[in-house]
């Protein structure tokens, strides 16, 4: 029988009928079907208590002689004052709350230059005009969670808004700042009424149980906080998080922009969010942007180094304890789906409570409210709703609604098996892509031209600027789940070259009646890094180099009537540096293949191709 009202734990001490009658008049969280319900007594936003404060951190990153304090705002039901009610916290932190830099010409890096050479023009550094007034940092998430019996807390990241310090875009202070706030919510750190005063503020209304969520950068920071292992952070829901600055701005040794932001790099993002104290900006710029970032980011080679490793949360997860529910889109070409998959895989291997929600759209997209509600209800309110036994993975199938995902036991689909496809000559038109290796296919050549988009490459019947190989038309649906892997052997006419790969459904058309999704997955790599991501070397003309790398993870059903196509080209108009057209890449077909994770394996694919 469903319990419509579950009282706070203090009610267990009620013994007399008169006391019970009095207690029932109090406003307390209500749960049905394992989810926190909206309660009328928590739903009048005019009654909410809103105030701000500054929490003292353990670091100093803006050049003065005091520890940085971060600006925090609190929104809580009045009953936390009038009835002594203590509640758990949904916490959101962000570098964006106080505004961002204008998108002026020149803020991005110039990409019109040869590989390995510096940009022809310097970037401009627009200043951020700070927005917002205290005590309200943000109104996000309040309408969703306060009526359900939570307190919502916001904070501005270091060096943004009214928070002290400097932005570092993945540096230690961006993890330690939310840790300090969680410590304050648990009575272990100090909060003050002003950024430089000594009048303290206590979180007397907090149970100490904290859950974090957010999207994109705001989804990165919950993971950052969780890697500190801070006590009290019970659960996080990162949505499309950037889990590695290297994976965001580089790809297998290649300088590669996030989709939609050609020329962006880590220092661009620093400028974009630097909305903190104007008097501290010169020191921050010199120390972080113009020294640490300038010396570490390396746009010439794109190699992996200590600067990038220090900004990869996968390397920092060993102390993580928080229950993890992640959400991502398979067609997110900004923060690509690998960012969540790599964290999910390690969290699962660590034995952490883990769930994953994937959809077929682009950047952003939270899990259904019922998933998030059950997650926070269990881990923050302590309600035994069995969420830990829910299906570990939910994926929105093609054309389904976001709130109607299909359940799976894991990702990739446990029934997926690697199937290798081989290239056959004819790629300047459309060469066959087959399950059997043919002998003596020799080499085929493409000529780089960044002016041609990936879509144009896919739609061209014939082109010297790409190689295209396709299966026969599918007679049955084929389900791909996981990471595809390409092994390629190539030579270059120049010492450096871009390498771009797309796996597509053909015919490539925008007609949804014909095809559900043109792009299955894609990837990029620097042939100079054929030995290692940490070491690149110039390519010798006429010498073939072998490399293997993964494409972005995907879970897609390719419908009968379509073909699976592999496109190999050089510069990607939307993502890579644009060297002068003309570089020739020669591909050895006999040593090149693509491996697909097919649900049901080779037998299923063969039947679909018969």
């Amino acid at each position: 029988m469903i319990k419509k009202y579950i009282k706070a734990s203090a009610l267990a001490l009620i013994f007399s009928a008169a006391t019970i009658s009095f207690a029932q008049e109090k406003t307390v969280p209500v749960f049905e079907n394992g989810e926190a319900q909206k309660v009328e007594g928590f739903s009048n936003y005019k009654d909410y208590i809103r105030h701000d404060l500054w929490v003292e951190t353990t670091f100093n990153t803006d050049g003065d002689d005091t520890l940085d304090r971060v600006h925090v705002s609190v929104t809580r039901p009045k009953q936390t004052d009038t009835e002594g009610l203590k509640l758990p916290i949904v916490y959101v932190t962000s570098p964006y709350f106080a505004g961002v830099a204008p998108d002026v010409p020149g803020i991005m890096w110039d990409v019109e230059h040869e590989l390995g050479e510096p940009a022809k023009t310097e970037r401009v550094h627009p200043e951020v005009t700070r927005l917002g007034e205290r005590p309200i940092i943000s109104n996000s998430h309040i309408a969703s969670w306060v009526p359900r019996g939570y307190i919502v807390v916001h904070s501005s990241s270091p060096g943004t808004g009214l928070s002290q310090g400097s932005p570092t875009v993945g540096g230690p202070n961006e993890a330690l700042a939310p840790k300090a706030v969680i410590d304050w919510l648990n009575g272990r750190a100090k909060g003050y009424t002003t950024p430089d005063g000594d009048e303290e503020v206590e979180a007397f209304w907090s149970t100490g149980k904290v859950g974090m969520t957010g999207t994109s950068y705001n989804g990165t920071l919950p993971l950052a906080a969780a890697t500190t292992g801070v006590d009290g952070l019970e659960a996080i829901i990162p949505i499309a998080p950037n889990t590695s600055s290297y994976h965001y701005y580089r790809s297998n040794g290649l300088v590669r922009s996030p989709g939609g932001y050609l020329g962006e790099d880590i220092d661009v993002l620093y400028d974009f969010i630097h909305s903190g104290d104007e008097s501290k900006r010169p020191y921050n710029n010199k120390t972080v942007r113009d020294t640490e970032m300038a010396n570490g980011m390396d746009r010439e080679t794109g190699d992996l180094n200590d600067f990038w490793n220090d900004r990869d949360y996968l390397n920092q997860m060993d102390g993580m304890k928080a229950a993890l529910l992640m959400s991502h889109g398979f067609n997110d070409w900004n923060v690509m789906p690998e960012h969540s998959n790599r964290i999910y895989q390690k969290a699962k291997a660590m034995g952490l409570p883990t769930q994953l929600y994937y959809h077929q759209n682009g950047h952003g997209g939270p899990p259904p409210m019922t998933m998030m509600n059950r997650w926070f209800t269990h881990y923050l309110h302590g309600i035994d709703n069995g969420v830990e036994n829910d299906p570990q993975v939910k994926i929105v199938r093609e054309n389904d609604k976001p709130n109607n995902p299909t359940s799976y036991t894991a990702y990739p689909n446990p029934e997926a098996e690697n199937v290798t496809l081989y290239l056959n000559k004819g790629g300047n038109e459309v060469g066959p892509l087959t399950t059997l290796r043919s002998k003596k296919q020799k080499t085929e050549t493409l000529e780089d031209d960044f002016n041609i988009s990936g879509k144009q490459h896919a739609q061209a019947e014939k082109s010297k600027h790409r190689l295209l190989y396709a299966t026969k038309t599918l007679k049955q649906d084929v389900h791909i789940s996981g990471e595809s892997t390409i092994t390629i052997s190539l030579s270059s006419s120049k010492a450096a070259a871009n390498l771009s790969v797309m796996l597509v459904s053909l015919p490539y058309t925008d007609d949804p009646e014909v095809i559900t999704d043109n792009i299955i997955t894609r990837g990029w790599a620097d042939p100079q890094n054929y030995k290692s991501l940490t070491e690149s070397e110039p390519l010798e003309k006429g010498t073939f180099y072998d490399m293997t790398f993964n494409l972005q993870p995907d879970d897609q059903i390719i419908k009968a009537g379509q073909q699976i196509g592999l496109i190999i080209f050089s510069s990607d108009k939307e993502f890579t540096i644009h060297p002068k057209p003309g570089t020739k890449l020669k591909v050895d077909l006999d040593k090149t293949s693509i491996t697909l994770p097919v649900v049901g394996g080779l037998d299923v694919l063969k039947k679909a191709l018969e």
Side-chain angles (χ1 to χ4, degrees):
M1 180 176 181
I2 298 170
K3 292 184 178 180
K4 297 198 67 174
Y5 300 99
I6 299 178
K7 304 295 186 260
S9 58
L11 297 185
L13 301 176
I14 298 169
F15 298 100
S16 70
T19 306
I20 292 174
S21 176
F22 171 77
Q24 287 176 339
E25 295 176 1
K26 290 189 175 183
T27 306
V28 294
V30 174
F31 306 92
E32 292 182 5
N33 298 322
E35 298 181 33
Q37 303 298 303
K38 289 187 176 181
V39 176
E40 184 177 354
F42 297 151
S43 297
N44 187 352
Y45 72 92
K46 294 181 180 180
D47 290 338
Y48 293 165
I49 298 169
R50 308 196 71 172
H51 55 97
D52 67 341
L53 65 143
W54 280 260
V55 169
E56 187 172 83
T57 70
T58 56
F59 54 83
N60 175 19
T61 55
D62 56 12
D64 57 20
D65 58 359
T66 61
L67 294 175
D68 297 338
R69 294 182 181 182
V70 293
H71 187 210
V72 177
S73 68
V74 177
T75 303
R76 52 191 174 92
K78 67 178 182 179
Q79 291 83 0
T80 54
D81 266 3
T82 61
E83 299 176 11
L85 182 64
K86 292 187 177 184
L87 293 172
I89 290 89
V90 173
Y91 174 30
V92 186
T93 185
S94 173
Y96 297 138
F97 287 145
V100 295
D103 186 14
V104 299
I107 186 174
M108 302 292 186
W109 280 93
D110 174 18
V111 297
E112 309 288 329
H113 60 85
E114 294 304 303
L115 300 176
E117 296 182 2
K120 296 177 182 178
T121 57
E122 293 290 329
R123 282 204 315 109
V124 301
H125 304 289
E127 291 288 325
V128 182
T129 300
R130 193 182 324 179
L131 305 175
E133 297 179 2
R134 58 175 303 197
I136 298 172
I137 293 177
S138 171
N139 289 313
S140 70
H141 296 81
I142 291 171
S144 294
W145 297 109
V146 176
R148 288 182 165 90
Y150 296 87
I151 294 163
V152 171
V153 169
H154 294 90
S155 72
S156 291
S157 295
T160 73
L162 298 180
S163 287
Q164 298 171 345
S166 174
T168 56
V169 192
N173 67 337
E174 291 192 352
L176 294 174
K179 176 185 183 298
V181 174
I182 295 166
D183 281 335
W184 172 71
L185 290 166
N186 281 273
R188 298 187 297 265
K190 291 184 177 181
Y192 298 92
T193 58
T194 61
D196 52 6
D198 57 7
E199 181 182 352
E200 293 189 24
V201 181
E202 294 184 0
F204 61 87
W205 31 260
S206 167
T207 64
K209 302 286 188 181
V210 181
M212 295 185 69
T213 189
T215 299
S216 197
Y217 208 142
N218 302 1
T220 300
L221 298 174
L223 177 64
T227 62
T228 70
V230 59
D231 290 336
L233 181 56
E234 305 296 331
I236 60 174
I237 307 177
I239 301 164
N242 176 351
T243 64
S244 162
S245 292
Y246 186 81
H247 285 77
Y248 190 58
Y249 292 116
R250 306 288 184 267
S251 184
N252 299 299
L254 195 70
V255 176
R256 192 260 300 137
S257 303
Y261 302 94
L262 187 64
E264 186 184 324
D265 213 323
I266 193 167
D267 60 337
V268 178
L269 186 52
Y270 168 93
D271 281 338
F272 192 66
I273 65 174
H274 196 187
S275 61
D277 185 348
E278 288 82 359
S279 69
K280 299 296 180 65
R281 294 184 192 182
Y283 173 87
N284 295 344
N285 292 342
K286 180 179 179 182
T287 304
V288 178
R289 185 191 67 198
D290 301 334
T291 302
E292 182 183 1
M293 289 182 173
N295 293 338
M297 57 193 286
D298 182 14
R299 283 185 66 83
E300 279 70 40
T301 73
D303 290 353
L304 181 63
N305 56 30
D306 289 342
F307 170 84
W308 294 113
N309 276 327
D310 290 344
R311 286 168 165 79
D312 188 338
Y313 293 113
L314 186 69
N315 300 333
Q316 303 170 30
M317 289 178 62
D318 289 346
M320 182 170 159
K321 298 176 293 186
L324 174 69
L325 166 58
M326 303 196 82
S327 176
H328 221 115
F330 282 123
N331 287 296
D332 187 348
W333 303 116
N334 175 4
V335 183
M336 300 189 190
E338 66 176 336
H339 283 271
S340 286
N341 183 51
R342 59 205 296 274
I343 300 299
Y344 157 75
Q345 298 296 345
K346 182 166 183 177
K348 185 170 65 170
M350 290 170 62
L352 294 175
T354 307
Q355 288 184 11
L356 183 65
Y357 172 84
Y358 265 129
H359 56 84
Q360 305 294 334
N361 297 321
H363 189 49
M369 184 62 190
T370 187
M371 286 186 71
M372 295 190 290
N373 195 334
R374 285 175 60 78
W375 202 250
F376 282 163
T377 291
H378 178 67
Y379 291 106
L380 302 189
H381 277 292
I383 302 301
D384 185 10
N385 59 9
V387 70
E388 68 275 18
N389 299 317
D390 287 354
Q392 190 177 94
V393 175
K394 294 190 176 183
I395 298 174
V396 181
R397 293 265 51 100
E398 296 77 3
N399 298 320
D400 282 351
K401 294 182 179 179
N403 63 354
N404 185 34
T406 300
S407 296
Y408 298 93
T409 57
Y411 179 81
N413 189 309
E415 297 180 11
E417 299 176 10
N418 286 334
V419 177
T420 301
L421 300 178
Y422 301 96
L423 287 58
N424 295 267
K425 59 186 177 182
N428 291 130
E429 295 180 3
V430 183
L433 190 63
T434 61
T435 58
L436 297 176
R437 184 194 298 271
S438 300
K439 295 181 179 180
K440 297 181 180 180
Q441 296 297 302
K442 298 185 179 180
T443 64
E444 293 194 324
T445 303
L446 65 93
E447 183 177 302
D448 184 25
D449 189 344
F450 71 82
N451 294 293
I452 305 172
S453 69
K455 178 179 179 178
Q456 289 172 316
H457 283 312
Q459 292 181 328
E461 294 183 5
K462 182 177 182 180
S463 174
K464 68 177 182 178
H465 300 294
R466 59 93 176 118
L467 299 174
L468 170 59
Y469 306 91
T471 65
K472 295 179 180 178
T473 300
L474 301 178
K475 295 181 180 179
Q476 299 178 13
D477 295 352
V478 171
H479 185 179
I480 292 176
S481 179
E483 293 181 332
S484 298
T485 302
I486 187 167
T487 296
I488 188 167
S489 180
L490 56 79
S491 68
S492 171
S493 63
K494 290 186 178 180
N498 291 317
L499 175 61
S500 303
V501 175
M502 291 175 63
L503 195 67
V504 298
S505 292
L506 299 174
Y508 199 105
T509 174
D510 296 326
D511 186 350
E513 297 295 325
V514 177
I515 198 167
T516 55
D517 184 19
N518 294 306
I519 300 174
I520 300 172
T521 184
R522 63 201 313 170
W524 304 262
D526 185 350
Q528 288 190 337
N529 289 91
Y530 70 97
K531 287 183 179 178
S532 166
L533 293 183
T534 61
E535 178 185 4
S536 59
E537 62 181 48
L539 306 175
E540 295 184 7
K541 185 176 181 179
T543 299
F544 278 82
Y545 300 89
D546 301 337
M547 65 187 312
T548 297
F549 58 93
N550 291 338
L551 309 186
Q552 289 296 315
D554 193 43
D555 193 293
Q556 183 173 332
I557 296 174
I558 299 99
K559 295 292 186 180
Q562 299 171 14
Q563 297 171 273
I564 299 173
L566 171 66
I567 307 172
I568 301 171
F569 56 114
S570 185
S571 298
D572 193 320
K573 182 179 182 179
E574 300 170 300
F575 292 92
T576 69
I577 289 172
H578 295 171
K580 183 179 178 181
T583 301
K584 290 182 172 61
L585 295 184
K586 189 174 292 187
V587 177
D588 185 341
L589 303 188
D590 295 320
K591 298 177 67 177
T592 300
S593 61
I594 181 82
T595 299
L596 310 182
V598 178
V599 175
L602 180 60
D603 289 343
V604 167
L605 184 59
K606 280 185 174 180
K607 288 179 181 178
L609 295 174
E610 289 177 353

